[in-house]
Amino acid sequence: MSLALVVDLILNAIAQSALLFLVAVGLSLVFGVLRVMNFAHGVFYMLGAYLGFTVVARSGSFWLSLVLAPVATGLLGGLLERTTLRYIYRRPPIYQLLLTFGLALVLEELVRVVWGPSALPVDPPAGLEGAVTILGAVYPRYRLFLVVLGMVTGVALWFFLQRTRVGLVIRAAAQNDEMAACLGTDVARVRTGVFAAACALAAVGGVAAAPMTTAYLGMGIGVIVDAFVVVVIGGLGSIVGSMAGSLIVGIAQTWGGFYFSEAAMAIMYLVMGLVLIFRPWGLFGEEE
Amino acid sequence: MAPLRRWGPVATLVVLAVLPWGLARHQLSLLTDLLIFSLFALSLDLIMGYTGMVSFGHAAYFGLGAYGSALLLIHFEVPIPIALLGGALGAGLVAWPVGYISTRATGIYFAMLTLAFAQLLYTLAYKWRALTGGSDGIAGVPKTALWWGGPSLVEPRAFYFLILVSFLVAFVLCRALVRSPFGRALQAIRENERKFATLGQDPRRFKVIVFVIAAALAGLAGALSAPFRGFASPEAMFWLLSGQALMMVIIGGIGTLVGPAIGAMVFVLVQEVLSSYTEHWMLFTGAIFVLMVIFLPGGIVGAARRRFAA
Amino acid sequence: MPPILETRRLDRAFGALRAVADVSLVVERGELRAIIGPNGAGKTTFFHLLSGVVRPTAGQVLLKDEDVSGLSAAARCRRGMSRTFQITSLFPELSVLENVRIAIQAKRGGNTRLLGGRALLARTEAGAREALGFVNLEDRAAVPASTLPHGDQRLLEIAMALAQEPDLLLLDEPTQGLGVEETAATAALVQRISRERRLTILLVEHDMDVVFNVADRISVLHFGRLIAEGSPAEIRRNVEVQQAYLGDMD
């Protein structure tokens, strides 16, 4: 195996992991704070891709779409949390999963109504087309951008949660609702905010993915299942866990895909099975 | 409520037995479909309603049953009952290791694991072209005879009765199961798993067993669907079908025996009516479902019970 | 005859906190032993260690001379150790009778009967009714457990443990949350179980009146350590115990 190939595979794995991370970390955060497993999370990723397509088509600017699409998706997410989820927090957790499943169906169908059934291609922005040569490997510039985007988001998120006052409140709410309420926090607002932010993050992933994968129906469910695997491996509610889980799944998908292409998915589930047997609550999760 | 309890089943049986002669061909096929979905939803309620394990991948076993019976019917032309048995057993067999691993987790984790395994099986069905025909699936599944040289089941009414009898047998079986010592243990696990464990038995054993039983019944439903529709395709294993089964159970009434059948009926009929007006019927089904989860958590049966009790 | 229960240098740490430290004690057959101690003394953790809900970081638990330290709660129950929980733990939507029946079947087998099992259900029903009669809940057998008042729920949990016919009964604060009269009734019930059923009982209890009235012997935990053991009269006189509780006051 040549060095160029190794570099290529490593970069592919990281680029893939970066996209996964953008989705998984929101899923994990929403679970940590709201105790809701959001089945619709992948649909927000898809929505990001489609909104991104429209913004690029109208304005011609990818960078504008990277800002506008997530903001719009986040607003929609917050609105949905306020109008539906808010009323059933006291129920057994499975009802919240079912509710978000219903929302996913509605949103998926809405996308079909608005954008039609065929896949929509998005061009990478100027300056990120073409390829560069790294250690002998010819590598698409755009994927390098994904690597950077994932890392920057991860680090920024970590700083936000660990070093800011709002981050502290979110972490408090994630650990204990009542304690957060005692701190004088409006828990309902924290929930809405976190839900909206998670949706926006997923949309960032969608916008960023579109030049590589196109915007297509069904991309939401594809990514949500992968993201579930990521958080199960990493542990729900843990950012570091999401990062580690994304890397593991990203590597399993790209390397597995290279060596035994048909079995790429099986490898991912094999890893998950092993983690569950030895640490049922995930690598970085806490035993409940 | 008491007279409904006594005469309801009898009346339902009579209607189901007579109806085929009063229905158009398309309507009979709809009714047959409905029975298949009822059986499928009932099997899900065994684990979801009675044991408290929400599986988000139940369609995998429906699909396995469909492929199992399709392969047996096409390659060996076995009588239908053998194909049904084969489909159910195949589904149960695959469910065993999946259940063994998935029951290590509980609650949401369990739901996610079952979904992941189902997606894995779906991909397998999609990619293993030689066996499953890939995305095209297996077409031309024949309706063979009731036994070797026995009466043919090609006639729609005959096949309807085969499915009706299968459903009734499964229903009576489930009823006996939930009332048996085992069934009560399942409900105890649903109520308080930790307490159950301190009483002297490992709850996981029970959960694996019921998971396999439910998968085999889902497999039976799938095994019926393949000859009825004439094909088996990966769609039968897709997460969407798993989700729809969950919807049927919730709409009808979780933790009841008739709820899933009622839920399946509502779901199929709403879909039938809506799809004649718009191709985007899923939009409205989804919205109705969201509203039901918020306002009617006990489903139709739960609401009816409350009304009669009050 | 070996003691029914023995712990040898039992230890459990949660991070830096040693909730139970180096506890060795012996409980003889037929005894009614109480475990007391100020808040945070490690009583509940000690109980969880005995019943297998929590695993020890060091040391052993011996049940009838058999080392059960590595066994699950379920396995210990099958070997004759039944327990109740400090916070009532029932199957709320099942009937009162069904709650007891599950307990019996879990112990004697039969929960795995898939179909029918009517004869079995009838047999266990007799046992369940007997246990319910013992705690005076027989006439509530048909209602869901969740509809019982709190005091009756506590009695039901005791009935479930009794119905398993254990050799050793662990009661975790059976009077928790009860009124004065109910507390007295429960104390009397515990004594009656000990005498009429000849059961060995280990009791964690914070109500000192109950403890000094019913217990044969008392073991005192303080900061996870066993600081005293003896008859109620001896414990009452023990200076170290008095200081431990005084320290708890301020």
Side-chain angles (χ1 to χ4, degrees), chain B residues 228-265:
Chain B
F228 169 61
R229 292 174 189 160
F231 66 89
S233 73
E235 294 306 306
M237 306 181 91
F238 201 42
W239 62 272
L240 191 62
L241 186 63
S242 299
Q244 286 172 343
L246 287 170
M247 290 167 79
M248 292 173 199
V249 173
I250 291 287
I251 290 173
I254 184 170
T256 65
L257 289 166
V258 289
I262 293 176
M265 187 168 78

Side-chain angles (χ1 to χ4, degrees), chain B residues 41-60:
Chain B
L42 175 64
S43 73
L44 178 62
D45 199 29
L46 267 190
I47 47 175
M48 176 167 152
Y50 285 94
T51 324
M53 310 151 69
V54 179
S55 165
F56 224 113
H58 208 50

Side-chain angles (χ1 to χ4, degrees), chain B residues 173 176-177 179-182 184-185 187-188 191-192 194-202 205-206 209 213, chain C residues 74 77-78 85 89-94 98 101-103 105-106 110-114 116 120-121 157 160 164:
Chain B
L173 220 82
L177 191 73
R179 294 177 179 195
S180 72
F182 179 78
R184 310 203 189 199
Q187 289 160 62
E191 298 286 306
N192 191 342
R194 199 171 122 181
K195 176 72 177 182
F196 188 87
T198 57
L199 287 178
Q201 274 177 315
D202 182 2
R205 220 174 103 213
F206 291 78
I209 294 173
I213 294 174
Chain C
C77 177
R78 287 198 296 276
F85 285 87
S89 186
L90 301 168
F91 307 118
E93 295 303 313
L94 300 187
E98 211 70 75
R101 180 141 70 189
I102 294 284
Q105 281 164 198
N111 269 344
T112 37
R113 276 293 292 272
L114 288 180
L120 178 85
L121 287 178
E157 209 185 345
M160 288 164 74
Q164 294 196 310

Side-chain angles (χ1 to χ4, degrees), chain A residues 255-277:
Chain A
W255 288 60
F258 176 74
Y259 284 107
F260 351 71
S261 61
E262 301 295 291
M265 237 178 117
I267 291 176
M268 183 170 98
Y269 294 113
L270 202 71
V271 173
M272 183 179 74
L274 284 176
V275 168
L276 275 167
I277 287 170

Side-chain angles (χ1 to χ4, degrees), chain A residues 39-288:
Chain A
F39 198 91
H41 200 66
V43 177
F44 290 106
Y45 168 84
M46 177 177 75
L47 202 58
Y50 275 95
L51 285 172
F53 166 85
T54 300
V55 175
V56 173
R58 293 280 161 83
S59 69
S61 166
F62 175 83
W63 303 110
L64 186 65
S65 78
L66 196 57
V67 176
L68 280 187
V71 168
T73 311
L75 286 177
L76 178 69
L79 184 75
L80 286 174
E81 191 275 341
R82 286 217 161 185
T83 49
T84 59
L85 264 180
R86 164 162 299 187
Y87 301 104
I88 60 163
Y89 283 125
R90 292 215 185 101
R91 299 251 197 95
I94 207 61
Y95 280 95
Q96 292 126 40
L97 181 69
L98 289 172
L99 182 98
T100 56
F101 171 71
L103 290 179
L105 290 183
V106 172
L107 289 172
E108 174 114 8
E109 204 56 41
L110 269 180
V111 168
R112 192 194 303 271
V113 171
V114 174
W115 282 278
S118 38
L120 304 173
V122 177
D123 289 328
L128 291 177
E129 302 136 319
V132 288
T133 311
I134 305 165
L135 297 172
V138 181
Y139 202 77
R141 277 206 179 90
Y142 189 74
R143 291 200 185 182
L144 280 183
F145 162 70
L146 290 184
V147 174
V148 175
L149 180 70
M151 285 182 179
V152 168
T153 315
V155 172
L157 206 59
W158 189 84
F159 264 94
F160 171 73
L161 288 175
Q162 299 293 328
R163 296 289 153 84
T164 68
R165 161 123 188 98
V166 184
L168 176 74
V169 168
I170 291 175
R171 281 186 295 136
Q175 267 167 15
N176 191 330
D177 269 1
E178 282 150 37
M179 193 169 80
C182 287
L183 287 172
T185 314
D186 183 350
V187 176
R189 262 176 61 192
V190 173
R191 281 177 175 153
T192 310
V194 167
F195 195 84
C199 291
L201 266 179
V204 170
V207 174
M212 229 164 72
T213 66
T214 74
Y216 61 97
L217 288 164
M219 70 190 287
I221 183 67
V223 81
I224 195 71
V225 173
D226 289 355
F228 282 146
V229 175
V230 165
V231 294
V232 166
I233 290 176
L236 279 166
S238 156
I239 292 186
V240 182
S242 298
M243 232 176 242
S246 302
L247 269 176
I248 290 172
V249 171
I251 290 169
Q253 282 179 342
T254 48
W255 288 60
F258 176 74
Y259 284 107
F260 351 71
S261 61
E262 301 295 291
M265 237 178 117
I267 291 176
M268 183 170 98
Y269 294 113
L270 202 71
V271 173
M272 183 179 74
L274 284 176
V275 168
L276 275 167
I277 287 170
F278 295 106
R279 278 185 74 89
W281 51 91
L283 292 177
F284 293 87
E286 275 160 35
E287 194 174 356
E288 293 200 26

Side-chain angles (χ1 to χ4, degrees), chain B residues 7 27 39-40 74 81 99 105 118 130 146 164 169 201 212 218 222 236 250 286 304 309:
Chain B
W7 297 109
Q27 290 167 324
L39 175 56
F40 181 42
I74 282 200
L146 199 53
L164 180 60
V169 169
Q201 274 177 315
V212 171
I250 291 287

